[in-house]
Amino acid sequence: MPVIGVSIRKIDRERIKPIDGPVEIKNNTHIVNVKEVDMQAFNRKGLNVSFEYISEYNREKSSYGKLNISGDVLFIDQDKQDTIVEEWNKTKKLPKLVNIEILNSILRRCVIKSMSLSEDLQLPPPITLPYATEKTTEEVKKN
C-alpha cells in the first residue's frame, strides 16, 4: 500500500494580530475526497486523496492566526483500490490501515511546512519542539 507522493496545491496563512500571551493551537487534518486516477507514469490506476491540514491559533473567543494547507496524496493499492473508492463513496471513510498511512504522509509533509510558515508569521510552532536543558546533579549521579 504505497504512498507515491504528497503534493501541496494551496497554502493560506494569516496572522490576525500579534500574540500577546498564551494561545491554544488546534491542528486538524481531514480527507476531503478520494477518486481513482490514471497514473500514466506507472501504467496503472491509482487513488488521488485530497486533504486539508489546518492549524488555528486561538485564546478564548479571539483568533490570532490560521494556517491552511490543501493538497493531494497519490496512492496505489491495486488489490483493494476499487473497494477503497466504494467505501469512501458510501461512508466518507477509508479503511483503517490505509487511513493511517495516508494521514502519516500528510502530517510529515504539512507539519514541516507549517513550522516554516508559523515562523514567517511570528506565530508559535504548531507542535511542541524538543529543547535542551541542563541536567540536575541527581541526573548526573544516576548516569
Side-chain angles (χ1 to χ4, degrees):
M1 297 189 289
V3 168
I4 303 302
V6 178
S7 63
I8 294 175
R9 248 185 302 106
K10 181 178 174 184
I11 297 175
D12 288 327
R13 60 209 179 273
E14 178 182 20
R15 185 182 76 178
I16 298 164
K17 57 185 172 181
I19 304 281
D20 58 359
V23 294
E24 180 183 9
I25 303 168
K26 290 184 181 178
N27 296 308
N28 188 12
T29 304
H30 69 277
I31 306 298
V32 176
N33 193 26
V34 176
K35 63 182 176 183
E36 194 169 52
V37 293
D38 285 324
M39 294 184 168
Q40 294 176 352
F42 297 101
N43 292 325
R44 59 174 55 164
K45 290 186 180 271
L47 297 179
N48 182 32
V49 180
S50 300
F51 69 87
E52 190 171 54
Y53 172 90
I54 300 169
S55 293
E56 295 178 306
Y57 295 79
N58 301 307
R59 182 173 59 228
E60 297 167 4
K61 295 186 181 201
S62 188
S63 181
Y64 288 82
K66 185 175 183 179
L67 306 173
N68 187 334
I69 302 172
S70 300
D72 301 295
V73 176
L74 295 178
F75 181 83
I76 294 178
D77 187 344
Q78 287 299 121
D79 299 333
K80 299 177 186 172
Q81 219 156 265
D82 292 334
T83 58
I84 292 171
V85 173
E86 286 175 22
E87 185 173 335
W88 173 261
N89 289 334
K90 289 178 186 174
T91 66
K92 300 299 181 204
K93 292 183 180 181
L94 294 173
K96 187 182 280 188
L97 293 178
V98 172
N99 192 52
I100 289 169
E101 184 174 356
I102 288 173
L103 285 177
N104 281 333
S105 296
I106 293 167
L107 288 171
R108 271 193 298 275
R109 182 72 187 271
C110 291
V111 166
I112 291 168
K113 181 61 84 177
S114 65
M115 296 291 286
S116 175
L117 294 170
S118 66
E119 183 176 23
D120 292 344
L121 294 173
Q122 298 176 338
L123 293 169
I127 61 169
T128 304
L129 295 173
Y131 60 93
T133 60
E134 186 177 3
K135 288 186 177 182
T136 64
T137 53
E138 291 177 9
E139 289 174 325
V140 171
K141 289 178 183 177
K142 288 182 183 177
N143 293 331

